[in-house]
Amino acid sequence: GDSVTQMEGPVTLSEEAFLTINCTYTATGYPSLFWYVQYPGEGLQLLLKATKADDKGSNKGFEATYRKETTSFHLEKGSVQVSDSAVYFCALMMDSNYQLIWGAGTKLIIKP
Amino acid sequence: DTGVSQDPRHKITKRGQNVTFRCDPISEHNRLYWYRQTLGQGPEFLTYFQNEAQLEKSRLLSDRFSAERPKGSFSTLEIQRTEQGDSAMYLCASSLTSGRSVEQFFGPGTRLTVL
């Protein structure tokens, strides 16, 4: 079945470091891809999304490009801040059923 | 509108008891979803509604689980004869049916602990 695999955490970085969180997917069709973020004590929030191959989603300095050839949607940010500390979830959605299929989440810790 | 709300935020119950959770979606949203999330894992889909119709149920949703959305507004999720394995965060989300990759807006969740 369809699935999402993302790198295990926690990922610990210093402020202003470059961030990459890897995400790969398996799907029978052409899904839409999402990154959600969960800040401590808060609910899940959509960070960015991409609906077709080569699309780039971006928000708050984060970017991810839908790579069909490698079935990947890696999350990147050029310079992280302490306030970026959170759990990041990669997810996919098939048009056929609108349910989100999630990765296990990657906890990001940014140290000042 | 302040977003998706869920009640209660926390529920502690004894094994074998029944529990019911409520979700109030964003008012104009016609789709409503339930997910379950255990510690260290991503959410798992349970079921979703379009208006009052329950369109899909995961095989995770055993006979002890039932969800309703009367009148297409709020939804309830009931778990009968709770088991310790039911301990998890239960998440509700809502969305509009419009185009591809609609954004789902999540509530804060109800954390269930079964003793």
Side-chain angles (χ1 to χ4, degrees):
Chain A
D2 302 334
S3 65
V4 174
T5 302
Q6 55 183 111
M7 64 191 291
E8 289 189 21
V11 173
T12 304
L13 296 171
S14 298
E15 205 165 19
E16 299 183 2
F18 184 86
L19 169 71
T20 300
I21 300 178
N22 291 336
C23 171
T24 57
Y25 68 90
T26 301
T28 53
Y30 300 100
S32 296
L33 300 172
F34 302 80
W35 277 100
Y36 276 78
V37 59
Q38 189 168 34
Y39 297 104
E42 298 185 15
L44 287 158
Q45 303 173 27
L46 179 65
L47 181 60
L48 52 84
K49 67 180 182 182
T51 61
K52 62 184 187 296
D54 301 324
D55 267 2
K56 178 185 283 188
S58 61
N59 187 25
K60 299 181 180 180
F62 290 89
E63 294 183 339
T65 300
Y66 189 143
R67 299 289 188 198
K68 180 181 166 186
E69 63 277 11
T70 54
T71 61
S72 65
F73 193 55
H74 304 321
L75 183 68
E76 296 181 336
K77 187 175 185 181
S79 176
V80 292
Q81 306 300 312
V82 172
S83 57
D84 294 326
S85 297
V87 181
Y88 292 81
F89 292 92
C90 184
L92 68 82
M93 180 192 292
M94 304 303 296
D95 278 351
S96 55
N97 57 26
Y98 293 96
Q99 63 174 270
L100 284 165
I101 296 171
W102 302 77
T106 302
K107 184 174 184 177
L108 175 65
I109 301 169
I110 306 299
K111 296 188 173 180
Chain B
D1 190 282
T2 56
V4 179
S5 61
Q6 293 186 244
D7 183 71
R9 296 289 305 273
H10 304 273
K11 179 69 177 178
I12 300 173
T13 190
K14 293 182 179 179
R15 190 177 54 184
Q17 298 295 304
N18 299 344
V19 295
T20 300
F21 309 142
R22 177 181 171 121
C23 171
D24 287 89
I26 294 172
S27 58
E28 66 269 24
H29 285 185
N30 56 352
R31 282 183 180 246
L32 186 148
Y33 311 79
W34 285 99
Y35 293 87
R36 180 173 68 186
Q37 185 178 20
T38 53
L39 199 62
Q41 299 297 316
E44 296 172 295
F45 170 79
L46 293 178
T47 188
Y48 86 88
F49 294 82
Q50 180 157 322
N51 300 314
E52 67 277 7
Q54 188 172 16
L55 297 186
E56 189 167 348
K57 292 170 60 173
S58 164
R59 63 181 183 277
L60 293 174
L61 215 65
S62 75
D63 292 344
R64 297 184 297 105
F65 288 71
S66 62
E68 294 182 340
R69 193 183 182 197
K71 303 178 183 177
S73 56
F74 72 92
S75 176
T76 58
L77 178 68
E78 180 182 17
I79 308 174
Q80 296 182 327
R81 305 180 304 282
T82 52
E83 302 173 356
Q84 288 185 325
D86 297 330
S87 296
M89 179 75 86
Y90 290 84
L91 299 170
C92 177
S94 69
S95 71
L96 278 171
T97 312
S98 59
R100 183 173 165 81
S101 70
V102 294
E103 177 180 354
Q104 295 182 18
F105 293 81
F106 283 81
T110 294
R111 182 170 295 284
L112 173 66
T113 302
V114 181
L115 301 176

